[in-house]
Amino acid sequence: KLQSGEIRPWRKPTAVYPLGQSGVQTIFKLENTTLSDFRWLEFTVDVDIVPGPVADTTDFRVYYTGDGVPKKTNWNLATTSGTGTKPFPDASYPLGVPTPTVAPTLTKVGGSGTVHEDRVYVYTYINTFGSVLEESAPSPPKTILIVEPNATVTVSAFGTAPTSSAGYNITAIRVYRAVGGTSAVNYYYLGQVAVNPATGVATGTFSDAVLSANLGVILTSFYYTPPPSTLKGLVSMPNGILAGFTANQVWFCEPYLPHAWPSTYTLTVNDPIVGLGVFGQSLVVCTTSRPYIISGSTPGAMTQEKLPLFEPCSAKKSIASDQYGVVYASPNGIVSIGSGNQDVVTRALFTRDEWSTYFPSSMIGTIYQNMYIVSYPTPAGGASLVITRGDNPPLINLDFAPAGIYIDRSTAIVYYINPNDNYIYSLDTDPVNNLFYEWKSKKFVLPNPTNFAVFKLQANWPYIDDVAAANAIVATIIAANQVIWAAGGSFKSTLNSVVVNGMLLNGSTLSPIPAIADVRNVNVIINADNAQLYGNGVLNQEPIRLPASNKNYVYEIKLTGNAPIRSFRMATGVGELRQI
């Protein structure tokens, strides 16, 4: 980690959760009322999952595409098996609500007088998704002419709704009426009829005896069609809008209504779409050719701009967003698209030929601590580049090769899938041990041959020296646990088994055992004119003399280890070293 000007090692990853199946590509942490109560959703395909646009503390709704037709699930659906058998989710519903295709049957009863009106009736399906009622677009209209206002019209023969076996939970039919025949502008709510979700059949008919002056609210779901079955790349935008794509079309949902995807909001671009990214109120459309920016605060007033740079997106899973905009992998490097920012940010690091050796078509990217981490395949299984913004960004390689990544919304911890052992790990989280690093300087080419005689390294020496003390504490805890275990009896606290507040309920008398601390060290390797001049571990901050040698033109320093290094200084003598 080079952000501070020091060399700081990354912490080791921590094993978190064994996956329930092999070949998992996507994970999502579905939380319940507390952070300690959650389930890992896992999919063997590339799935895009977003939380509901309306925050809720009862259902914990999520919406996703990529796993067949677009879907939605919540805590109760995803965990119907309780602690259950992995993998989760256990169940889901299709994302949209289907539109009725059969017009109702109308029958007039009674009525008198010389005043008449022409009426038009439609009905909608209501899908119950947890605490949310989702309404479909209306059925085909049915007109009845010359109706006296005091007459009763029976509405019946509703079309059979999709059943629970088809994945829906349609529990009601809402009936609407317009006055004025086919020229009517608005439909008004009258009431509803219950539906048996298992059969999709309405449990009765509806009798309309409502005077026109007493009609209810206006039907708003006229264009609320389900999303296309091939929708993918789901992302969340401001103002309650979700967006996705099919082929070269971008789709938007009705604000705060993820089940409704009016086709009138659809925008078309010229090229096949690879994926979507979001910054501010803008949607970046990454294609196989030029990127596009679609901006707007409402889905019905979006505008699109075709950007002038030819930077195709090489990998959908490389798309990520930071405070500058959207970044993704292209054949030329890492592209950044933002407000007033359209560029290849890795031009200072790679030529196009050099970049191609990292196989950008297989890259997976994420943002961590304002750094873009993008993984790439290698013969050994894979690694990652860590790229920070700047005119001369440092190039960092990290031993990190995920099959999929998830960033926790509450803690910003990066979780990833390790395909080698089928576990979920958290990145950079081990509280005790660090990864080993290797830092290499540039080549210092001197105008005249020089004989460097001494160097001094300043590292975190207390951290290096604490290993023995830390492991002694671990040994003491293990010994105490062994005594408790040898004494026998129950190690779990139960109700009334200990004094009040004496122990956590269902806790244990055994103490948790911290991880054993690894050996900590730092090493210095100095190359002079492409030959190793010095290589050894450093134990303290005292100056270290270099072996006598001929003068050299080119020097290169390599520092390795797993402890932080604060500074490195090298000089032609001890007196000169004191002045640096």
Side-chain angles (χ1 to χ4, degrees), residues 324-483:
Y324 300 105
V326 172
V327 289
Y328 64 88
S330 86
N332 296 315
I334 299 300
V335 177
S336 174
I337 305 293
S339 180
N341 169 31
Q342 303 168 17
D343 199 5
V344 179
V345 297
T346 53
R347 284 186 292 109
L349 297 175
F350 304 101
T351 65
R352 178 185 172 98
D353 291 339
E354 291 169 339
W355 179 250
S356 66
T357 62
Y358 290 89
F359 304 101
S361 61
S362 300
M363 286 183 166
I364 300 174
T366 191
I367 301 295
Y368 175 64
Q369 293 189 4
N370 208 27
M371 301 176 290
Y372 181 56
I373 304 177
V374 60
S375 68
Y376 59 92
T378 67
S384 293
L385 299 172
V386 183
I387 299 170
T388 55
R389 301 295 189 109
D391 294 334
N392 294 296
L395 179 60
I396 301 171
N397 277 277
L398 181 65
D399 186 14
F400 173 61
I405 299 174
Y406 169 76
I407 301 178
D408 189 283
R409 293 174 289 156
S410 303
T411 64
I413 292 175
V414 174
Y415 293 94
Y416 68 96
I417 304 164
N418 186 337
N420 297 324
D421 60 5
N422 214 37
Y423 251 80
I424 295 176
Y425 284 78
S426 55
L427 180 68
D428 194 30
T429 54
D430 191 309
V432 177
N433 296 310
N434 297 327
L435 293 171
F436 276 84
Y437 59 79
E438 178 182 289
W439 178 89
K440 186 163 61 175
S441 73
K442 69 177 183 179
K443 291 186 176 182
F444 294 92
V445 181
L446 306 177
N448 298 303
T450 303
N451 181 15
F452 284 95
V454 64
F455 73 85
K456 184 175 182 179
L457 183 75
Q458 184 59 262
N460 189 339
W461 305 114
Y463 174 79
I464 294 174
D465 296 336
D466 280 347
V467 173
N471 287 340
I473 294 173
V474 174
T476 300
I477 294 173
I478 292 174
N481 282 347
Q482 289 173 337
V483 171

Side-chain angles (χ1 to χ4, degrees), residues 15-37:
V16 172
Y17 178 81
L19 291 165
Q21 56 189 327
S22 59
V24 174
Q25 295 187 35
T26 306
I27 53 175
F28 186 91
K29 188 179 181 183
L30 183 65
E31 296 171 348
N32 199 356
T33 52
T34 65
L35 296 181
S36 60
D37 192 10

Side-chain angles (χ1 to χ4, degrees), residues 202-222:
T203 58
T205 61
F206 182 83
S207 295
D208 173 25
V210 180
L211 296 177
S212 295
N214 298 328
L215 289 174
V217 297
I218 295 174
L219 171 68
T220 59
S221 64
F222 216 91

Side-chain angles (χ1 to χ4, degrees), residues 162-239:
T163 63
S164 54
S165 62
Y168 294 93
N169 188 35
I170 295 175
T171 57
I173 283 174
R174 287 182 180 173
V175 181
Y176 293 82
R177 184 182 98 195
V179 177
T182 55
S183 61
V185 176
N186 293 320
Y187 288 86
Y188 296 87
Y189 176 69
L190 295 171
Q192 68 181 36
V193 178
V195 172
N196 184 339
T199 63
V201 176
T203 58
T205 61
F206 182 83
S207 295
D208 173 25
V210 180
L211 296 177
S212 295
N214 298 328
L215 289 174
V217 297
I218 295 174
L219 171 68
T220 59
S221 64
F222 216 91
Y223 302 102
Y224 288 5
T225 54
S229 61
T230 55
L231 188 77
K232 55 185 176 180
L234 195 67
V235 294
S236 180
M237 298 182 65
N239 303 319

Side-chain angles (χ1 to χ4, degrees), residues 237-242 252-256 280-283 294-303:
M237 298 182 65
N239 303 319
I241 302 170
L242 303 186
F252 301 94
C253 80
E254 192 71 22
Y256 301 102
Q281 290 190 339
S282 297
L283 181 73
I294 297 177
S295 301
S297 57
T298 61
M302 294 287 184
T303 59

